[in-house]
């Protein structure tokens, strides 16, 4: 159920962005990641997110996952500190 909430938000945000040619706000992106962080830790484990992205809902393609992970993952800890990543995505 948690991933489904993330997927719904992520698809809605990506679709709205593509249709309106506008960037999503940091808060909108942050809300999608917070839906997955049920423990409110402020980060997601990269391997867990990758597993969710390939097994639930419409699976992401390997190249999409690789692109996201290359920008999002803190290589030292293997975590995605999603507040930083949401800021990066909103300002790209």
């Amino acid at each position: 159920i948690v991933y489904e909430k993330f997927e719904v938000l992520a698809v809605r945000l990506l679709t709205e962005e593509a249709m309106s040619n506008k960037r999503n706000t940091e808060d909108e992106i942050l809300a999608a990641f917070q839906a997955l962080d049920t423990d409110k830790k402020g980060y997601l484990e990269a391997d867990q997110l990758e597993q969710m992205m390939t097994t639930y809902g419409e699976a992401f393609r390997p190249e999409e996952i690789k692109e996201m992970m290359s920008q999002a993952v803190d290589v030292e800890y293997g975590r995605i500190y999603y507040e930083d990543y949401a800021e990066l995505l909103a300002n790209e």
Side-chain angles (χ1 to χ4, degrees):
I1 289 177
V2 172
Y3 182 78
E4 283 123 6
K5 289 180 183 178
F6 170 78
E7 184 180 33
V8 168
L9 284 168
V11 168
R12 182 180 57 97
L13 294 174
L14 292 172
T15 303
E16 286 175 3
E17 179 182 323
M19 297 299 244
S20 66
N21 224 8
K22 78 169 186 69
R23 285 298 209 190
N24 296 110
T25 68
E26 186 176 338
D27 288 339
E28 291 170 326
I29 298 166
L30 194 56
F33 283 105
Q34 287 172 333
L36 295 178
D37 184 14
T38 57
D39 294 331
K40 309 288 186 238
K41 299 176 290 191
Y43 63 86
L44 301 170
E45 298 292 342
D47 57 344
Q48 284 182 304
L49 181 58
E50 185 172 351
Q51 181 182 6
M52 284 188 239
M53 293 173 70
T54 57
T55 57
Y56 294 104
E58 187 174 334
F60 285 76
R61 295 188 320 260
E63 58 271 11
E64 292 171 322
I65 294 171
K66 183 178 177 181
E67 173 70 23
M68 177 187 172
M69 295 297 176
S70 72
Q71 294 181 23
V73 176
D74 178 314
V75 292
E76 185 176 349
Y77 297 104
R79 295 176 176 159
I80 299 168
Y81 293 95
Y82 54 78
E83 286 188 20
D84 296 334
Y85 188 53
E87 181 181 4
L88 174 72
L89 290 175
N91 293 318
E92 266 189 348

